[in-house]
Amino acid sequence: MPQITYIEASGQSTTVNVPEGWSLMQGATANGVEGILGECGGSCACATCHCYVDEPWLAKLSAPTEGELEMLENTASERKANSRLACQIKATAALDGMVVHLPESQE
Amino acid sequence: MPMFRFDPYSPLVDADPFPAYKTLRDEHPCFWSEEAGMWILSRYHDIVAAGNDWQTYSSARGNLMTELPGRAGATLGTTDPPRHDRLRGLIQQAFMKRNIESMGDNIRDIARQAAAELKGRKQIEFISDFSSKFTVRVLFAVLGLPMGDEQTVRDKAVLMVQSDPKTRAKGPEHIAAYNWMQDYAAKVIAERRANPTGDMISQFSLAEIDGDKLDEREVLLTTTTLIMAGIESLGGFMSMFALNMVDFTDARRQCVANPALLADAMEESLRYNTSAQRFRRSLQRDVELHGQTMKAGDFVCLAYGAGNRDERQFADPDKYDITRKPRGHLGFGGGVHACLGMAIARLAVRVAFDEFHQVMPEYLRVQEKLDWMPSSTFRSPLKLELSIK
Ligand code: HEM
Ligand code: FES
């Protein structure tokens, strides 16, 4: 299973084995990572799964859909060039070792 | 030892599915139910994985355990991507939290009025005296339906999700209710097309993305589904939430003292007493799971209510604990088919109970034994009598 590391705004870091096919939002909410809420259940309708993807990994992700780009306009914390929605990123073997930082606030 | 069976049409399962769920999770995590004619998945992990893999676990042959005729393939809940995403794209905007919040005052007025009607009463039947009036009015306001037929619409919505416990199918009365609802929806749609207002039905019956519009059947069945899902799901959940609030006195008192806690209590009730218990998918290919081979074409039940009590995911799952914050619970499903109406539902339930508690902060349960709705998909009591202290 791909290992994903979530680093909260406080600095607290959690590494989780996320099953392939699960989203990074699901990996976080199912494992007690506090900094991701995932209020809409992953239907790309809430932007409470906002994360910042560390540089080397950003290029490995498929480009955000139009729906994701629209929702990214509604993040509670600052949107940056490496902002993504964790519910729209599916864990795959290629993402093993990936690190994401979580924003100060999600709502 | 008698062979284990699981019958989602049984009144015993309507009343208390949880002991059977535990056996399913522990001993038969991939179980063929002869009575249902489908596989049952009951562990949290397996349900999430299936929900993610819509290529394999398709909704296109229906998602209700006992499907209504003509619905498969034509609504949000009964199509797969990319068609599903197109339909959802046309209407999702209107259901997003930030667009729902503007309706907060309106919803509060409805709640306050429904609660005011209870003042001075010594005993009430929560569903007919409060929650059904409230949900139907909220839904009419949200969807922009013309006032006047609320009670009939509510009664038909409740009837159409039920099934006959003896024949294990939709009976003539359930189909008749469904047909009535389609005729009703057709009238409203024609009305709105002729005289569009800003309401939701006008919006999506006319919505267009890149020249793409919903076809007639999609508009009709999506409207029908929204009315059914809105009224029945919201009403059903409210009665389950009321049941938790009356049974868990400490939790209720905390919510009365600090209504901000209602949001957490609601999430815990969605987990603990999942009102939308079971939905189904159909397999697009053979799947091996827990030593069983499920065949392409087989139906699979995702037992959300069982996954929500899985100790592999939720510590001490049979305990009701409003401080739990059960993120990732399955009470609204998840993934591409996650409930479209959850922002409305969350706002409406919070406001409704806040207002209800202002009029009735203390109440007791009257019936020792409850009668449950006969439904293979949903679970809620038919009546909930409360006496007021
Ligand atoms: C507390 C109340 C509610 C609960 C517990 C609930 C539960 C659910 C669940 C579990 C699903 C997933 C079905 C599946 O996996 O096949 C769902 C889907 C859906 N719900 Fe709700 N629901 C509620 C309220 C509402 C309301 C108020 C509306 C509309 C106004 C609504 C509209 C829908 C629609 C359209 C879908 C299909 C979404 C899709 O497939 O993309 N629901 N709901
Ligand atoms: S969970 Fe809501 S947008 Fe990602």
Side-chain angles (χ1 to χ4, degrees):
Chain A
M1 274 190 241
Q3 276 199 344
I4 309 289
T5 299
Y6 302 85
I7 303 177
E8 316 251 2
S10 65
Q12 159 109 27
S13 159
T14 316
T15 298
V16 173
N17 292 317
V18 182
E20 283 193 47
W22 287 43
S23 72
L24 265 49
M25 180 278 283
Q26 290 170 324
T29 52
N31 289 284
V33 175
E34 290 280 321
I36 286 190
L37 303 182
E39 250 177 33
C40 78
S43 51
C44 201
C46 73
T48 66
C49 62
H50 181 201
C51 65
Y52 303 115
V53 177
D54 273 23
E55 249 343 298
W57 302 100
L58 203 55
K60 293 194 200 241
L61 304 180
S62 46
T65 60
E66 232 171 88
E68 181 179 346
L69 289 171
E70 260 170 49
M71 273 327 289
L72 279 168
E73 286 166 23
N74 301 292
T75 54
S77 291
E78 185 196 353
R79 178 183 179 183
K80 301 182 186 164
N82 62 342
S83 283
R84 292 294 303 259
L85 295 181
C87 71
Q88 301 300 304
I89 304 172
K90 289 215 166 188
T92 58
L95 300 184
D96 188 24
M98 179 164 165
V99 179
V100 296
H101 281 81
L102 306 183
E104 198 77 41
S105 107
Q106 293 282 15
E107 39 173 13
Chain B
M1 208 174 71
M3 202 174 63
F4 175 75
R5 308 198 70 91
F6 180 73
D7 178 3
Y9 292 94
S10 146
L12 290 173
V13 169
D14 289 332
D16 183 10
F18 299 110
Y21 283 164
K22 178 150 179 58
T23 308
L24 283 167
R25 286 191 306 266
D26 291 349
E27 294 166 36
H28 311 282
C30 180
F31 181 75
W32 175 256
S33 160
E34 252 164 52
E35 288 87 344
M38 64 178 96
W39 299 93
I40 313 280
L41 302 187
S42 49
R43 288 190 186 170
Y44 179 83
H45 193 284
D46 293 332
I47 295 170
V48 172
N52 283 337
D53 184 6
W54 53 262
Q55 288 94 336
T56 304
Y57 294 85
S58 163
S59 294
R61 287 173 63 212
N63 71 331
L64 298 177
M65 294 285 284
T66 317
E67 196 47 88
L68 287 154
R71 234 184 122 256
T75 72
L76 273 179
T78 58
T79 42
D80 295 327
R83 193 179 156 88
H84 163 273
D85 296 358
R86 173 188 143 249
L87 273 170
R88 187 146 177 155
L90 287 169
I91 60 175
Q92 172 148 300
Q93 192 75 21
F95 287 87
M96 283 181 190
K97 190 173 169 191
R98 67 196 145 101
N99 296 330
I100 294 299
E101 255 145 30
S102 63
M103 283 183 243
D105 290 346
N106 199 348
I107 294 177
R108 189 165 290 276
D109 286 344
I110 297 171
R112 195 169 288 154
Q113 198 193 339
E117 291 169 23
L118 306 176
K119 276 190 188 134
R121 297 271 299 272
K122 288 275 167 291
Q123 183 165 335
I124 64 165
E125 198 280 288
F126 181 79
I127 299 167
S128 55
D129 287 331
F130 185 70
S131 63
S132 70
K133 287 183 191 163
F134 170 77
T135 43
V136 77
R137 287 177 202 161
V138 164
L139 209 83
F140 269 55
V142 168
L143 295 180
L145 298 172
M147 289 294 179
D149 314 316
E150 298 97 285
Q151 199 50 46
T152 323
V153 171
R154 189 257 164 190
D155 292 346
K156 304 286 181 191
V158 171
L159 204 52
M160 65 192 263
V161 303
Q162 302 188 8
S163 46
D164 187 315
K166 290 202 189 64
T167 62
R168 300 164 189 276
K170 297 283 178 192
E173 71 276 31
H174 309 122
I175 302 290
Y178 173 61
N179 289 335
W180 184 93
M181 193 66 82
Q182 288 194 54
D183 292 342
Y184 171 78
K187 265 187 252 149
V188 176
I189 293 162
E191 232 287 307
R192 285 299 185 275
R193 284 219 172 111
N195 305 300
T197 57
D199 69 277
M200 223 172 253
I201 291 175
S202 306
Q203 276 179 43
F204 75 78
S205 59
L206 298 165
E208 231 179 290
I209 291 182
D210 302 332
D212 190 10
K213 282 212 299 211
L214 300 183
D215 69 32
E216 282 306 313
R217 193 159 143 261
E218 287 170 337
V219 174
L220 180 64
L221 287 167
T222 301
T223 308
T224 309
T225 299
L226 282 177
I227 299 173
M228 168 187 92
I231 295 178
E232 172 26 55
S233 306
L234 186 55
F237 175 72
M238 279 180 69
S239 60
M240 294 304 270
F241 191 47
L243 181 60
N244 290 159
M245 290 280 102
V246 71
D247 285 347
F248 301 110
T249 313
D250 286 348
R252 180 182 74 245
R253 289 192 178 142
Q254 286 172 35
C255 290
V256 170
N258 177 10
L261 293 177
L262 281 169
D264 289 341
M266 174 180 179
E267 298 305 309
E268 175 65 345
S269 285
L270 282 161
R271 182 198 72 82
Y272 179 82
N273 256 340
T274 315
S275 52
Q277 283 280 327
R278 294 170 288 269
F279 284 84
R280 77 173 187 194
R281 301 290 186 260
S282 75
L283 283 177
Q284 299 295 93
R285 61 175 175 84
D286 292 1
V287 172
E288 298 262 344
L289 190 64
H290 301 300
Q292 306 279 350
T293 306
M294 304 189 284
K295 291 279 180 206
D298 286 354
F299 281 112
V300 182
C301 159
L302 307 182
Y304 293 143
N308 277 336
R309 296 277 190 118
D310 188 350
E311 49 284 277
R312 294 158 195 80
Q313 179 60 31
F314 300 103
D316 209 353
D318 297 327
K319 179 163 180 236
Y320 185 78
D321 174 6
I322 65 170
T323 66
R324 182 191 295 271
K325 298 194 198 287
R327 286 191 191 145
H329 71 69
L330 302 169
F332 285 124
V336 293
H337 288 290
C339 179
L340 177 75
M342 64 176 96
I344 298 177
R346 283 182 171 131
L347 176 64
V349 170
R350 267 193 343 252
V351 168
F353 278 81
D354 188 9
E355 293 297 328
F356 180 72
H357 284 161
Q358 310 234 353
V359 174
M360 295 192 172
E362 285 286 329
Y363 41 97
L364 294 169
R365 186 162 148 184
V366 176
Q367 306 135 286
E368 208 164 297
K369 197 175 148 291
L370 299 169
D371 287 328
W372 295 86
M373 183 169 73
S375 169
S376 45
T377 300
F378 299 99
R379 175 169 182 266
S380 64
L382 287 168
K383 278 197 162 60
L384 182 62
E385 317 231 359
L386 303 174
S387 67
I388 314 305
K389 270 202 261 186

